């Protein structure tokens, strides 16, 4: 390619990057576009904290906090400090009985895949395909998880709510939960990244402030769907990453961050971590066996 052509391509990319931010605003998703800026998230925390001061008991009571914990003990302040400093706190653990109940729920409930209309059980997926047919399935969102009582107990866990409250600076007013299978695939990484967006480096923009806790429900090692993140990137992104799509090209990530800042999170079934998902992160699609993860977002 000639130098002139390369320059033209770069100019076009820059225009597209700027358009991306503008497009989101035009689509009426201003709040979503703004949640990517650290100062907006902090300002929102202060405002929300002030508003809740008038009736903090109301906000506490509506969370229906569970005093029965399915977790092993956690150092709450240590956890909050770690998420503030590095973007993540590792080493939470669900009790094994809770892991078994969640696994059994996931095995016996139908799943859906975003952008597809069909329903399937995780056991219907063989080598990344539905019932041996052509239809590839990358992930399965387990349905009806509001009906899983152990997940409801975990969502309202006193310790988790307290960590979220301290990190956000206010009682969370919106909590979402997802139980997701990522199916093992023999596709190469480039194909996977086209079909399954979370396998690309990205940061989440899910509101004006948010924090997530995740628990592996299957054993996760390097080949079975580790969660990969760039430490401290929740507090440090170049402007061009903030003003364009939240999905990042791998080359751009390594132009800005050091390889040594990458953290690969693995752990046995029950292992969990609190994370500020404004950090740059991605899923590495499993190769050997399916991964099941429970994710709860407090915002
Ligand atoms: Fe994400």
């Amino acid at each position: 390619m000639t130098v002139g052509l390369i320059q033209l391509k770069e100019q076009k990319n820059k225009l597209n990057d700027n358009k991306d931010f503008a497009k989101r605003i035009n689509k009426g998703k201003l709040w979503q576009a703004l949640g990517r800026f650290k100062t907006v998230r902090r300002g929102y925390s202060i405002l929300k904290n002030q508003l809740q001061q008038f009736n903090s008991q109301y906000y506490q009571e509506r969370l229906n906090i569970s005093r029965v914990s399915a977790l092993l003990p956690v150092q709450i302040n240590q956890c909050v400090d770690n998420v503030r400093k590095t973007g993540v706190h590792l080493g939470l653990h669900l009790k094994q009985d809770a892991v078994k109940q969640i696994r059994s729920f996931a095995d016996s409930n139908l799943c859906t895949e975003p952008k597809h209309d069909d329903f399937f059980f995780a056991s219907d997926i063989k080598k990344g395909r539905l019932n041996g047919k052509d239809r590839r399935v990358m992930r399965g969102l387990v349905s009806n998880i509001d009906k899983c009582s152990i997940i409801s107990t975990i969502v309202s866990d006193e310790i988790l709510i307290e960590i979220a409250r301290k990190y956000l600076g206010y009682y969370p007013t919106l909590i979402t939960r997802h139980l997701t299978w990522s199916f093992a695939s023999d596709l190469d990484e480039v194909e996977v990244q086209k079909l399954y967006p979370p396998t690309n480096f990205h940061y989440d923009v899910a509101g004006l402030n948010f924090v997530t806790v995740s628990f592996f429900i299957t054993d996760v090692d390097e080949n079975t769907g580790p969660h990969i993140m760039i430490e401290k990137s929740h507090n440090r992104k170049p402007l061009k990453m903030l003003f364009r799509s939240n999905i990042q090209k791998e080359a751009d990530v390594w132009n800005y961050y050091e390889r040594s800042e990458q953290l690969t999170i693995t752990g046995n079934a029950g292992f969990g971590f609190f994370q500020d998902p404004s950090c740059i992160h991605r899923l590495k699609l499993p190769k050997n066996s399916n991964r099941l993860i429970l994710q709860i977002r407090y915002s």
Side-chain angles (χ1 to χ4, degrees):
M1 199 185 290
T2 64
V3 176
L5 265 175
I6 291 170
Q7 281 170 344
L8 269 176
K9 211 175 166 206
E10 278 174 356
Q11 277 172 11
K12 198 179 159 207
N13 284 344
K14 268 185 195 162
L15 272 173
N16 285 339
D17 289 348
N18 293 336
K19 270 185 202 162
D20 201 88
F21 184 68
K23 231 193 289 171
R24 279 166 191 271
I25 292 176
N26 287 340
K27 277 182 185 168
K29 290 184 180 172
L30 181 63
W31 62 272
Q32 200 170 12
L34 292 176
R36 63 186 58 206
F37 299 105
K38 193 172 67 177
T39 41
V40 171
R41 293 198 299 273
R42 294 235 169 110
Y44 180 74
S45 279
I46 293 166
L47 184 68
K48 199 125 175 176
N49 176 283
Q50 294 299 312
L51 288 171
Q52 289 192 354
Q53 294 296 323
F54 296 108
N55 201 352
S56 64
Q57 203 176 345
Y58 164 77
Y59 290 100
Q60 190 178 359
E61 279 171 6
R62 73 201 286 264
L63 286 165
N64 219 357
I65 294 171
S66 167
R67 313 286 171 197
V68 181
S69 188
L71 272 85
L72 297 184
V74 184
Q75 295 286 333
I76 294 176
N77 288 338
Q78 175 88 63
C79 176
V80 175
D81 274 2
N82 283 344
V83 183
R84 284 214 177 102
K85 281 181 197 148
T86 68
V88 72
H89 173 81
L90 305 173
L92 303 182
H93 292 279
L94 279 183
K95 292 177 185 164
Q96 282 308 303
D97 186 47
V99 174
K100 271 188 208 150
Q101 287 180 57
I102 298 169
R103 176 63 196 262
S104 151
F105 186 89
D107 284 337
S108 56
N109 276 272
L110 287 163
C111 303
T112 57
E113 187 176 35
K115 296 185 183 168
H116 293 272
D117 297 326
D118 47 0
F119 288 87
F120 52 86
F121 288 105
S123 56
D124 296 334
I125 311 301
K126 304 272 186 290
K127 294 186 178 169
R129 290 173 190 274
L130 181 56
N131 291 324
K133 294 177 194 156
D134 285 342
R135 156 99 159 87
R136 275 201 181 275
V137 184
M138 311 304 290
R139 64 176 148 174
L141 304 181
V142 180
S143 57
N144 295 322
I145 73 159
D146 288 352
K147 296 194 174 82
C148 179
S149 59
I150 187 65
I151 292 181
S152 296
T153 304
I154 296 167
V155 164
S156 320
D157 188 288
E158 188 177 19
I159 298 168
L160 298 181
I161 298 270
E162 184 58 5
I163 293 168
R165 186 192 70 80
K166 285 197 164 179
Y167 186 72
L168 295 172
Y170 54 87
Y171 285 107
T173 49
L174 179 66
I175 306 177
T176 56
R177 54 186 98 175
H178 290 99
L179 183 59
T180 309
W181 288 102
S182 293
F183 296 110
S185 170
D186 52 7
L187 284 177
D188 69 45
E189 197 133 59
V190 177
E191 283 177 283
V192 167
Q193 286 174 342
K194 280 186 213 152
L195 294 168
Y196 192 179
T199 59
N200 296 273
F201 274 118
H202 68 282
Y203 57 89
D204 293 0
V205 189
L208 284 175
N209 207 0
F210 41 86
V211 66
T212 309
V213 65
S214 305
F215 293 100
F216 295 140
I217 308 299
T218 48
D219 292 343
V220 171
D221 65 20
E222 180 67 34
N223 292 311
T224 47
H227 182 92
I228 294 175
M229 66 172 283
I230 308 293
E231 283 188 286
K232 300 180 184 170
S233 55
H234 64 315
N235 284 332
R236 188 169 62 92
K237 288 186 204 75
L239 277 180
K240 71 175 194 173
M241 278 190 191
L242 288 168
F243 277 94
R244 67 184 184 189
S245 165
N246 63 324
I247 296 179
Q248 306 301 317
K249 290 178 194 146
E250 183 141 2
D252 290 341
V253 169
W254 299 129
N255 270 340
Y256 189 75
Y257 300 102
E258 298 291 329
R259 297 256 176 192
S260 59
E261 292 175 294
Q262 174 173 299
L263 178 66
T264 300
I265 302 174
T266 58
N268 289 337
F271 177 91
F273 56 96
F274 240 102
Q275 186 183 50
D276 183 335
S278 311
C279 70
I280 305 285
H281 61 274
R282 74 182 184 98
L283 152 72
K284 187 176 168 192
L285 200 73
K287 290 221 169 291
N288 295 348
S289 59
N290 303 336
R291 182 191 87 165
L292 180 63
I293 192 169
L294 170 67
Q295 289 173 304
I296 303 164
R297 185 193 294 132
Y298 298 96
S299 48

